[in-house]
């Protein structure tokens, strides 16, 4: 029963002064919520330790990683798991400057696991999530030039 009660997002009862009373969804912290992260470095090639970027599954993340210039991982998971993954990459490759950012997404990305992908697959995923301009910036293409082009 407590799960049913916590699933309610709002209660339509009006309180004093015309306010709508709202119930809390659940006691889950922000660390339990799924978010989308973009992690990248200038280059990650197909050798150790660079290919650690392909190990997102070990950190309970879903998404894709692309080796090359730039090296990129698009990850879906909890903030704590994404932080652990980024920490592992930074510890294994302290000479590389990893940049991580949380993306606002228009559509959840339906990744089944964590796989090696291509730049075309990364662009498709970022476009679907509403982040094509971010992708174009990442690969060094002006967003005005990227439309209809062969990136």
């Amino acid at each position: 029963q407590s799960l049913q009660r916590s699933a309610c997002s709002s209660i339509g009862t009006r309180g004093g002064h015309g306010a709508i009373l709202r119930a809390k969804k659940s006691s889950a912290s922000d660390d339990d919520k799924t978010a989308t992260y973009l992690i990248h470095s200038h280059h990650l090639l197909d050798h150790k330790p660079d290919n650690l970027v392909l190990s997102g599954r070990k950190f309970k993340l879903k998404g894709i990683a692309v080796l090359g210039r730039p090296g990129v991982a698009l990850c879906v998971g909890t903030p704590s798991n994404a932080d652990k993954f980024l920490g592992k990459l930074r510890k294994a490759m302290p000479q590389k400057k990893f940049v991580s950012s949380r993306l606002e997404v228009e559509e959840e990305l339906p990744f089944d696991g964590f796989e090696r992908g291509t730049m075309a697959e990364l662009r498709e995923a970022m476009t679907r999530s509403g982040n094509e301009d971010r992708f174009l910036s990442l690969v060094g293409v002006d967003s005005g030039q990227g439309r209809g082009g062969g990136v």
Side-chain angles (χ1 to χ4, degrees):
Q1 281 186 338
S2 65
L3 290 176
Q4 290 174 343
R5 272 186 264 130
S6 66
C8 296
S9 59
S10 66
I11 300 172
T13 307
R14 294 205 175 261
H17 307 291
I20 295 177
L21 300 175
R22 301 205 181 270
K24 290 185 177 182
K25 285 186 178 182
S26 69
S27 61
S29 70
D30 283 343
D31 278 353
D32 294 334
K33 294 180 182 174
T34 300
T36 303
Y37 298 89
L38 181 67
I39 299 172
H40 61 91
S41 183
H42 176 265
H43 70 277
L44 295 171
L45 305 178
D46 194 6
H47 60 75
K48 289 184 180 181
D50 289 17
N51 55 16
L52 277 173
V53 76
L54 301 173
S55 67
R57 182 185 308 264
K58 292 180 183 176
F59 296 87
K60 298 179 183 174
L61 298 172
K62 293 181 179 183
I64 62 172
V66 179
L67 296 174
R69 291 182 173 86
V72 184
L74 183 61
C75 310
V76 177
T78 64
S80 62
N81 288 343
D83 285 344
K84 289 174 189 172
F85 180 52
L86 181 60
K88 177 71 171 181
L89 295 174
R90 286 181 171 157
K91 184 176 179 183
M93 298 172 271
Q95 74 283 10
K96 297 199 186 277
K97 294 181 180 171
F98 284 96
V99 177
S100 173
S101 54
R102 186 172 178 165
L103 299 178
E104 295 295 323
V105 295
E106 294 174 2
E107 177 182 325
E108 286 298 318
L109 299 170
F111 294 117
D112 291 329
F114 198 91
E115 305 293 332
R116 183 174 180 168
T118 65
M119 276 294 178
E121 291 167 330
L122 177 65
R123 182 179 185 171
E124 180 184 336
M126 291 187 71
T127 299
R128 204 171 356 154
S129 71
N131 288 283
E132 183 180 30
D133 286 347
R134 188 72 178 268
F135 170 83
L136 295 172
S137 174
L138 181 67
V139 296
V141 175
D142 178 16
S143 63
Q145 296 173 348
R147 307 268 185 250
V151 171

